Amino acid sequence: MAVKQILTVPNDFLRKKTEKVKTVDKNILNITKDLIDTIKVAKEPEGAGLAATQIGYSKRICAVRNFYRDPLNSNKIISEDIILINPKIISRSKETDIDWEGCLSVPNTYGKVERYEKIKVIAINSEGNEVKFRAAGFLARTIQHEIDHLDGILFTDRVIGKAITEEEFDNLNYES
């Protein structure tokens, strides 16, 4: 449909809890297309996920990107865009992981956030069908980050320690 402007802090809309989608109709499908179109052009940094609130819609919809190595060229990373409508985490691992996160709505800011390593999710896809799946690692982190957006929570609310700038992040020694 269209590439939308991504809302950034301190926009109060980012703090609103979203409305559950009742029916996957043309309006909802247009929002899903806007999410995909917008995340595809997000570069510097590249987006791993995008919630409807980030582009001005108060609906429980997000897009997440599942990054993986191209089976035909192991040096190339490709991604699959996944739409989740009314996503809900129905189970989670006991194990957690603390890693760096950033956000298209919180530019020039990074911080360490604790997330569950593995989750099981139930949602509706863009065809209107219920889907259940397991996610681990970076995909699980991304889904948790996007569901937080749908609840009006920003990653900066969960940062352990202090947030840093993009310049500080780029200069980190990755052994730490």
Side-chain angles (χ1 to χ4, degrees), residues 78-97:
I78 55 179
S79 66
E80 167 193 18
D81 295 323
I82 303 167
I83 290 292
L84 301 174
I85 300 169
N86 299 333
K88 184 177 180 185
I89 297 169
I90 55 175
S91 67
R92 53 192 57 86
S93 63
K94 289 185 177 117
E95 301 80 27
T96 60
D97 179 50

Side-chain angles (χ1 to χ4, degrees), residues 13 15 53 70 89 97 138 160:
F13 196 79
R15 293 299 190 167
T53 50
D70 184 337
I89 297 169
D97 179 50
F138 188 72
I160 297 167

Side-chain angles (χ1 to χ4, degrees), residues 20 60 62 82-92 119-125 129-135 143 147 150:
K20 190 172 184 179
R60 268 192 106 63
C62 62
I82 303 167
I83 290 292
L84 301 174
I85 300 169
N86 299 333
K88 184 177 180 185
I89 297 169
I90 55 175
S91 67
R92 53 192 57 86
I119 57 174
K120 186 173 182 183
V121 178
I122 187 168
I124 298 169
N125 64 18
N129 299 318
E130 183 178 277
V131 292
K132 278 185 193 175
F133 64 95
R134 296 179 196 281
I143 292 168
I147 289 175
L150 301 177

